[in-house]
Amino acid sequence: MIEKGKISSLQMAILMYPTILATAILLVPAITARHAERDMWLSPIWASLIGFLTVYIAYRLNRIYPKETIIEYGEHILGRISGKAIGLVFLFFYLHTSGIILREYGEFINGKFLLRTPMIVTIGSMMLVTAFAVRSGVEVLGRISQIFVPINILLLVLLNLLLFPELKTKHMLPVMEKGIMPSVMGAVTPQSWFSEFFLASFLYPFLTDREKGMKWGMISVLAVMLTMVVTNIFTLLLFGEITASLTFPVMESSRYISIADFLEHIEAVVMAIWVTGTFLKISVFYYALSLGTAQWLNLSDYRPVVLPLGFLLVVFSIWSAPNLSELSHFLGTSCSFYLSSVQTGIPVFLLLIATLRKGKRSGMEGRKR
Amino acid sequence: MKWGAILGVTLIAGLMALYEWPKIGQNQKREKVVFVTLTAMGWVLAVLLVFFPDIPGPTQLIDAIFKPLGQILEK
């Protein structure tokens, strides 16, 4: 096996939490609000169904092939050539999405904080840091997440508590005025983020306690869902109808915090949450990409491909979109279907074939006896 | 300006090779080939993007494939 490190399933759950959430509270609340309006806090609940499904599928596939990732068992399930093709689709997919995530990060930092820095510098420096984290292996990623994520959650809770005086419940009413459909339509974009839970399948082979993998995966989905519901409720109660026209609603909400004319300008806290969160998010994507590439090419080590892939990722992040509004439009339309069809659709298909084949094989053995 | 960007890209590729090359084992031929190929791919793409920033990318490809579904969410 290429990776020798081991993590516990609790560490996996902690690692997956920022992997989904980091960018999900950046652009997504505005996209959700555009469709769901006052019901935007319901959307993450529908969306999380895809998350639960994806974790279940990743776990079932891992049960059949315990020591392998999708790049390897794709070949076992579909045969050599089509398996390699599926592997290439996944590698291209992770290259492209990681590029988009890097771009979102760069747009956020350059649009809100470092206004005069060239974007290539913000993106490139982030890439360099994640490259060193990824080179160190999965154990290091697990431990980084154990340090960062509790602080992140604490800061997020603090931020929401400080917003309390500004909230107005009248923005939320009436609940489900036009039936259930607007909130379901609003769920289409967040569900693509939940489908990213398939990245857990790249971590499952390295778990020390694999039987708990599904339990902690589900807990992680639940935690992400609750956090998204809470942030959506807070932005809704604060802004009401205008949430849809903001680009970074959670960011804007932090500007409202003003306690006794003393505690103001909390944006730096929001930035801290996002920089650490996106750092972990990019690391996990980048890790899956490097490990997958090494397995696809049958290399003995994944470390040599880390830096060249990082270089490619920076190029892809510049290439992926001309500007933020087009990126946001892409994320709100085609991208939603793209993410979930690759990360949930293909695995469902693979699991179906694997179970059918397994059933056929055991049936034949039964007849022989 | 453009030549400066190309110089920068080449410099980064060179630094990467300087850092990584001694770490790849003597008899890891495959790894060396992969490293050179991936770096070359990145370099060519970067140079292309410096001269023609508007060449259609992967996002346009995906957009073309998923457009019929994506139109449901157009608003």
Side-chain angles (χ1 to χ4, degrees):
Chain A
M1 227 171 11
I2 297 177
E3 170 68 56
K4 291 181 185 68
K6 288 272 177 198
I7 56 171
S8 67
S9 48
L10 173 65
Q11 279 176 316
M12 181 207 73
I14 298 177
L15 194 55
M16 290 314 292
Y17 177 80
T19 304
I20 313 305
L21 206 65
T23 49
I25 53 174
L26 199 67
L27 286 167
V28 178
I31 300 175
T32 311
R34 213 175 300 152
H35 296 286
E37 292 173 6
R38 279 185 298 272
D39 295 337
M40 65 184 279
W41 59 279
L42 277 170
S43 298
I45 301 174
W46 311 132
S48 69
L49 295 177
I50 290 286
F52 290 119
L53 178 71
T54 312
V55 169
Y56 175 71
I57 288 159
Y59 181 74
R60 281 291 302 275
L61 278 169
N62 184 258
R63 280 281 293 278
I64 306 175
Y65 301 100
K67 287 203 180 313
E68 295 175 355
T69 67
I70 186 151
I71 309 290
E72 291 168 304
Y73 56 64
E75 278 181 59
H76 291 286
I77 295 172
L78 293 173
R80 197 177 153 75
I81 294 169
S82 24
K84 285 277 186 210
I86 290 279
L88 193 65
V89 168
F90 264 88
L91 293 181
F92 172 77
F93 172 81
Y94 282 127
L95 193 64
H96 184 203
T97 37
S98 318
I100 290 177
I101 295 160
L102 262 178
R103 183 58 181 262
E104 280 172 46
Y105 167 78
E107 291 282 358
F108 172 65
I109 296 292
N110 283 25
K112 289 286 172 194
F113 295 100
L114 307 175
L115 298 174
R116 296 172 69 182
T117 315
M119 193 182 292
I120 194 88
V121 176
T122 25
I123 291 178
S125 48
M126 185 50 136
M127 205 68 242
L128 194 67
V129 182
T130 47
F132 285 119
V134 169
R135 274 184 69 96
S136 321
V138 71
E139 269 182 26
V140 171
L141 289 184
R143 285 183 193 165
I144 296 172
S145 69
Q146 273 182 315
I147 297 171
F148 282 164
V149 174
I151 302 174
N152 263 4
I153 295 175
L154 197 75
L155 288 178
L156 211 59
V157 169
L158 196 76
L159 204 68
N160 284 342
L161 281 181
L162 289 177
L163 269 178
F164 242 99
E166 308 282 337
L167 302 181
K168 290 181 191 72
T169 26
K170 70 169 200 289
H171 287 312
M172 204 161 125
L173 302 168
V175 176
M176 287 208 257
E177 188 192 8
K178 290 174 196 136
I180 209 167
M181 267 328 272
S183 63
V184 173
M185 284 298 277
V188 175
T189 303
Q191 61 81 26
S192 64
W193 259 260
F194 276 101
S195 77
E196 283 169 6
F197 264 102
F198 190 69
L199 280 166
S201 78
F202 283 87
L203 304 172
Y204 274 147
F206 315 123
L207 293 189
T208 45
D209 42 354
R210 200 170 297 128
E211 60 286 354
K212 288 189 195 151
M214 180 145 92
K215 188 184 102 191
W216 282 108
M218 294 296 182
I219 291 174
S220 191
V221 180
L222 200 69
V224 171
M225 188 255 274
L226 285 177
T227 319
M228 280 172 82
V229 169
V230 168
T231 47
N232 278 5
I233 287 182
F234 274 75
T235 41
L236 177 67
L237 293 186
L238 189 63
F239 293 117
E241 302 278 290
I242 61 164
T243 316
S245 54
L246 302 167
T247 321
F248 303 118
V250 179
M251 172 72 219
E252 302 295 337
S253 71
S254 72
R255 302 208 162 160
Y256 272 74
I257 295 173
S258 166
I259 308 275
D261 287 335
F262 171 69
L263 205 59
E264 283 176 337
H265 287 286
I266 317 280
E267 293 104 290
V269 173
V270 181
M271 182 172 166
I273 295 174
W274 270 323
V275 172
T276 50
T278 11
F279 165 67
L280 285 168
K281 175 163 187 147
I282 297 167
S283 304
V284 173
F285 271 81
Y286 192 9
Y287 178 77
L289 176 65
S290 329
L291 190 73
T293 310
Q295 286 172 338
W296 195 72
L297 295 163
N298 297 326
L299 303 183
S300 59
D301 190 5
Y302 74 93
R303 283 174 187 84
V305 299
V306 170
L307 282 177
L309 280 176
F311 190 54
L312 261 180
L313 279 178
V314 174
V315 176
F316 262 72
S317 73
I318 300 295
W319 200 18
S320 60
N323 54 45
L324 180 62
S325 61
E326 277 195 35
L327 183 67
S328 180
H329 180 250
F330 175 65
L331 287 173
T333 56
S334 315
C335 191
S336 321
F337 298 99
Y338 170 49
L339 291 175
S340 50
S341 61
V342 173
Q343 290 181 116
T344 312
I346 293 179
V348 166
F349 169 68
L350 284 179
L351 180 63
L352 215 63
I353 295 177
T355 354
L356 282 178
R357 281 188 129 185
K358 212 175 143 208
K360 202 175 156 197
R361 208 182 302 140
S362 57
M364 263 155 66
E365 275 164 14
R367 236 174 290 145
K368 261 183 220 159
R369 258 180 248 136
Chain B
M1 191 57 215
K2 280 181 178 173
W3 293 106
I6 290 173
L7 202 71
V9 168
T10 318
L11 193 74
I12 291 168
L15 283 176
M16 261 162 45
L18 265 181
Y19 180 80
E20 195 65 57
W21 204 255
K23 292 198 162 74
I24 307 178
Q26 200 68 179
N27 40 13
Q28 287 179 301
K29 273 246 167 62
R30 227 187 147 87
E31 280 75 4
K32 284 185 179 173
V33 174
V34 170
F35 179 83
V36 171
T37 324
L38 280 175
T39 313
M41 267 167 68
W43 188 83
V44 169
L45 247 177
V47 170
L48 266 178
L49 282 175
V50 168
F51 282 107
F52 313 101
D54 297 323
I55 38 175
T59 307
Q60 278 83 348
L61 175 73
I62 300 303
D63 211 26
I65 297 173
F66 286 92
K67 195 132 225 172
L69 278 169
Q71 261 155 9
I72 304 170
L73 294 175
E74 209 77 53
K75 207 173 185 181

